[in-house]
Amino acid sequence: MKPPTELAEAFRARGLKVTPQRQLLFGLLDGNTSHPTAEGLFVEASAQMPGISLRTVYTTLTDLAEMGELQPVSCGAGAIRFDPNVDDHHHGVCDSCGNVTDAYVVGAESLIVEGLDGFTTNSASIVFRGQCAPCASSTDESTSNPIPNSQQQTPNTP
Amino acid sequence: MKPPTELAEAFRARGLKVTPQRQLLFGLLDGNTSHPTAEGLFVEASAQMPGISLRTVYTTLTDLAEMGELQPVSCGAGAIRFDPNVDDHHHGVCDSCGNVTDAYVVGAESLIVEGLDGFTTNSASIVFRGQCAPCASSTDESTSNPIPNSQQQTPNTP
DNA sequence: TGCTCATCTACAACTCGTGCAAATTGCGCA
DNA sequence: TGCGCAATTTGCACGAGTTGTAGATGAGCA
Ligand SMILES: [Mn+2]
Ligand SMILES: [Mn+2]
Ligand SMILES: [Zn+2]
Ligand SMILES: [Zn+2]
């Protein structure tokens, strides 16, 4: 994703207005590696701009995604996440805390795929599921768990 | 997925009852390669057993999934699909008609993944997006499109 | 400064799935 | 074969997540 200043220009160039709501979201997304959901961004935005509506957050995120500045990421369950990292990359999802981590896969293009004869592939996305490092250590060790697995952001309850 | 007869035994062995509703669903899933949704199975089941409830379909599918007889497949958007093919395999999703095809990927285990240090991977699922063969030929050729892309099962409307 | 169309907010609606409780039924057992 | 009861079915409500809509509001431009 471009930095906020350039996003403002890109919006104006498209005939879209640069509103305080949008600028706030530009800032919240800039350099954000947490793969936030619309709801999550709404909560953060509301802290700085009480009264902002969830609808506006969705609209802005959709605009950014259409401009290619944001990559929507479906992790298999729960809300869609929005990723300012538009590199060609994939994701690891922790089944305990729900955190999503960037994963760069080398050689994905040279995979041998059987069964898709005649299929024209436009994109491939890989989701790794498992346990992130903090969750693995906090459950492996029999010591008291400082993070009870249901208080972190977007916990999974399958 | 086991054949219906063996599923009946497996259910009874678990203390689950073998009802007409469940037997009907066993039959609809047996050898089914269409990756149906709960709603889709409900429609098919309703044709043979009017009055069956969508709730019962969900319950039975959940039971089968917990027994490992069915694999829930998230394709990134829309309803969860249920796959009687529990092999280790992946999926191609057509962006035009929404059809889901099995894809067997060779060498997926030996992929080099960067960025997931400390992450314990339990599973990896790959979703290929693009155009299936029928959709590709019907849109490439400038002839009249016999399938207007919105009448097939589970059309995508992004 | 004033105009005007895009945007914002509030609210309804919609999709997919789950929780719940009353009525029904499979099935082990006498 | 007939009982008894736990499992199941059904219908409905509810919840999360997302989108449609319309009137109020405001950004950008002359
Ligand atoms: Mn990412
Ligand atoms: Mn499959
Ligand atoms: Zn974790
Ligand atoms: Zn297709």
Side-chain angles (χ1 to χ4, degrees), chain A residues 16-17 19 21-22 51-53 56:
Chain A
L16 301 176
K17 293 178 178 173
T19 65
Q21 290 87 347
R22 284 170 174 177
I52 190 175
S53 78
T56 297

Side-chain angles (χ1 to χ4, degrees), chain A residues 70-112:
Chain A
L70 220 47
Q71 185 178 7
V73 177
S74 290
C75 295
I80 293 173
R81 289 159 177 277
F82 294 87
D83 196 349
N85 178 358
V86 291
D87 289 353
D88 182 17
H89 71 288
H90 303 277
H91 294 98
V93 182
C94 177
D95 288 323
S96 295
C97 67
N99 282 356
V100 178
T101 310
D102 284 343
Y104 289 84
V105 175
V106 180
E109 318 74 27
S110 58
L111 280 177
I112 297 169

Side-chain angles (χ1 to χ4, degrees), chain B residues 66-102:
Chain B
E66 282 175 359
M67 294 167 65
E69 299 292 339
L70 222 47
Q71 186 178 4
V73 177
S74 292
C75 295
I80 294 175
R81 289 159 177 276
F82 293 87
D83 196 349
N85 178 357
V86 290
D87 288 353
D88 182 16
H89 71 288
H90 304 278
H91 295 96
V93 181
C94 177
D95 288 324
S96 295
C97 67
N99 281 356
V100 178
T101 311
D102 284 343

Side-chain angles (χ1 to χ4, degrees), chain A residues 1 11 14 36 41 58 78 83 91 97 100-101 116 144:
Chain A
M1 197 183 88
F11 263 57
R14 281 203 158 206
L41 288 164
Y58 272 108
D83 196 349
H91 294 98
C97 67
V100 178
T101 310
L116 291 185
S144 67

